[in-house]
Amino acid sequence: MWFNGLLDLSVMQLILVALGMTHITIVSVTLYLHRHSAHNSLDLHPVLKHFFRLWLWLTTGQNTKEWTAIHRKHHAKCETEEDPHSPVVLGIKKVLLEGAELYATAATPETLERYGQRTPEDWVERNVYSRYKMLGIGLMAVINLALFGVHGIWIWALQMMWIPVWAAGVVNGIGHWFGYRNFECADNARNISPLGILIGGEELHNNHHTYPNSSKLSRRWYEVDIGWGYIRLFQLFGLAKPKGFRPIAHFVPGKQDVDVDTVQAIANNRFDIMRQYRKRVMEPVLQQQKALMDDEIRPRYRKLKQLLSREVSLIQPKEKETIEAVLERNAILRQIYDKSHELQALWRQRGLKPQDKLNALMDWCKEAEASGIRYLEEFAAHLRAYSLRPAA
């Protein structure tokens, strides 16, 4: 009948169509706005880029330059007062419930000028997408009503709330508040779920903030980045070309000499190196020392294990006191903790010449091998085996 629209679909068919349309929107955001436009980690065929731009205009009214500029500013000013949508600064409730409003507030001329470079400025962008943002949303409502009849109203409403809820709210809010961390990046980004399906892979937010220029967001065998699956599919048809998804660090079994390539390799792969340090040194030594801890400290072992490997800038004053109280009583834990920061100094200190970095790494390995701590000795040998990946 006429009120069911031209397609006259059943309720189940309508639900599937609605979910399919919102999923296309998610794919458009993660592939086009995020990985391609904001981070330049993905090249897209012009046909695909124009499709994504059109679809986002119809379903979100989102301007490419605005989204790109705000996201780049988020990375540049993450977890500071200038971050457009940090739950650490603004509170989780505000970011969850007012994510879209925060985007609108952040889209100032100054932000667009500074962070909105290399975004579309063609005729259709200037005269249609940017000039008539609400027209696309209106057209989508008309299309939905024509195709689905009265059901087009709730389908349109679902489309309009999809990105504000899942992207502006969940990713920007929960993604910096709750979840697990593979890597100790310098902000509070967390992986919401290892299954990056519902939000196109954006669930793997800690991975992304650690390697923002990688087109692949999954980093562990159990993690799924459905966006990466679409990239590989489009690549088969010559519609996409991923960039920056392979680390230049290369492990060479049997290599024993530390050289400049070793320094460059571990600096490039520093977050994974420190993750390995946690797994290979921190955790086994902590397990050994647990039995020697005071009764007062032992119940807080789990928290202590997290604190010793946490990014320094994220440690609160009371947590620093806890760490110091433990390290004062245990010389071995003090040694492996200090060695972790000495290693990080290789890439944290600015202005060091390559030869200075090389000498510092060689000294670090020699001291670690002479420490008498088996796990530290083995890790030093592990570092020596790194080099740069051979050119393909």
Side-chain angles (χ1 to χ4, degrees):
M1 301 180 69
W2 66 268
F3 53 79
N4 286 332
L6 297 174
L7 298 181
D8 194 20
L9 301 179
S10 67
V11 173
M12 183 54 67
Q13 288 173 323
L14 288 166
I15 292 174
L16 292 176
V17 167
L19 292 176
M21 294 172 76
T22 53
H23 187 67
I24 293 173
T25 305
I26 287 290
V27 173
S28 302
V29 170
T30 186
L31 263 60
Y32 171 67
L33 287 179
H34 194 191
R35 308 186 203 202
H36 167 72
S37 183
H39 292 288
N40 192 31
S41 64
L42 173 68
D43 287 337
L44 294 172
H45 191 279
V47 170
L48 208 53
K49 285 191 288 187
H50 282 290
F51 169 77
F52 286 145
R53 285 168 64 193
L54 173 62
W55 185 260
L56 289 167
W57 181 64
L58 291 170
T59 58
T60 69
Q62 184 65 62
N63 175 275
T64 300
K65 187 169 188 173
E66 288 182 0
W67 196 100
T68 299
I70 293 167
H71 186 74
R72 287 173 179 169
K73 184 176 182 179
H74 164 62
H75 276 267
K77 306 295 182 179
C78 197
E79 319 296 21
T80 70
E81 294 290 340
E82 296 183 71
D83 189 335
H85 44 67
S86 170
V88 175
V89 177
L90 301 173
I92 184 64
K93 182 179 179 181
K94 186 173 184 65
V95 178
L96 271 176
L97 300 181
E98 302 177 35
E101 290 82 353
L102 291 174
Y103 262 90
T105 303
T108 63
E110 293 79 12
T111 296
L112 300 186
E113 176 66 25
R114 181 172 181 180
Y115 297 101
Q117 305 300 317
R118 302 182 306 279
T119 52
E121 296 182 356
D122 54 14
W123 184 92
V124 70
E125 187 68 40
R126 296 193 310 271
N127 295 282
V128 182
Y129 298 151
S130 295
R131 190 173 182 181
Y132 302 107
K133 295 180 183 179
M134 303 307 293
L135 179 59
I137 294 174
L139 284 176
M140 192 77 253
V142 172
I143 293 170
N144 283 357
L145 287 171
L147 294 177
F148 313 119
V150 294
H151 296 288
I153 299 174
W154 67 262
I155 292 176
W156 179 85
L158 188 67
Q159 288 178 295
M160 294 305 106
M161 65 177 283
W162 205 253
I163 292 302
V165 170
W166 289 110
V170 174
V171 175
N172 293 340
I174 295 178
H176 283 264
W177 191 261
F178 178 80
Y180 70 95
R181 286 167 67 87
N182 280 333
F183 309 100
E184 284 300 314
C185 58
D187 54 64
N188 204 43
R190 297 171 179 274
N191 292 331
I192 303 171
S193 166
L195 302 179
I197 298 175
L198 188 60
I199 324 177
E202 299 295 330
E203 295 93 333
L204 300 166
H205 207 56
N206 172 255
N207 295 356
H208 167 61
H209 269 254
T210 303
Y211 298 102
N213 296 322
S214 173
S215 53
K216 182 180 180 181
L217 305 188
S218 57
R219 289 285 165 175
R220 297 287 165 258
W221 66 266
Y222 52 83
E223 293 175 342
V224 177
D225 172 15
I226 195 173
W228 177 248
Y230 285 119
I231 290 172
R232 285 304 206 187
L233 177 63
F234 291 139
Q235 189 178 16
L236 288 176
F237 297 96
L239 298 174
K241 182 181 179 181
K243 299 187 291 185
F245 63 94
R246 295 181 68 194
I248 66 172
H250 179 59
F251 190 79
V252 183
K255 180 176 178 292
Q256 298 180 359
D257 295 327
V258 176
D259 50 30
V260 174
D261 285 355
T262 308
V263 177
Q264 292 180 356
I266 66 171
N268 175 263
N269 205 37
R270 58 190 179 276
F271 294 106
D272 193 61
I273 291 294
M274 295 315 301
R275 183 180 185 274
Q276 291 181 41
Y277 189 89
R278 183 179 80 237
K279 295 290 185 181
R280 292 169 175 261
V281 182
M282 286 274 194
E283 292 183 4
V285 171
L286 266 170
Q287 188 63 37
Q288 283 185 343
Q289 297 299 307
K290 182 179 179 182
L292 303 176
M293 292 179 185
D294 297 341
D295 292 338
E296 179 186 353
I297 300 295
R298 196 177 298 115
R300 291 182 287 174
Y301 166 78
R302 185 181 183 89
K303 180 70 173 177
L304 179 64
K305 185 169 70 171
Q306 297 173 345
L307 288 177
L308 289 179
S309 58
R310 181 172 296 174
E311 161 62 31
V312 175
S313 62
L314 300 179
I315 299 178
Q316 301 301 314
K318 287 186 177 180
E319 294 174 332
K320 289 181 180 179
E321 293 177 5
T322 300
I323 292 175
E324 283 301 316
V326 173
L327 298 184
E328 285 179 2
R329 306 179 192 183
N330 193 304
I332 293 180
L333 291 183
R334 165 69 74 181
Q335 190 171 4
I336 64 168
Y337 187 71
D338 288 346
K339 293 303 290 183
S340 73
H341 290 285
E342 290 173 14
L343 182 59
Q344 292 178 69
L346 287 173
W347 50 79
R348 289 186 186 274
Q349 292 185 39
R350 299 186 180 278
L352 284 181
K353 297 179 181 179
Q355 187 62 42
D356 293 335
K357 292 182 179 181
L358 174 59
N359 292 336
L361 180 59
M362 293 174 66
D363 290 342
W364 190 95
C365 288
K366 290 178 181 177
E367 291 172 4
E369 290 164 345
S371 66
I373 303 174
R374 177 168 64 89
Y375 299 106
L376 197 54
E377 296 171 10
E378 292 174 350
F379 190 77
H382 177 75
L383 283 186
R384 290 178 179 275
Y386 273 97
S387 187
L388 298 177
R389 185 180 296 279

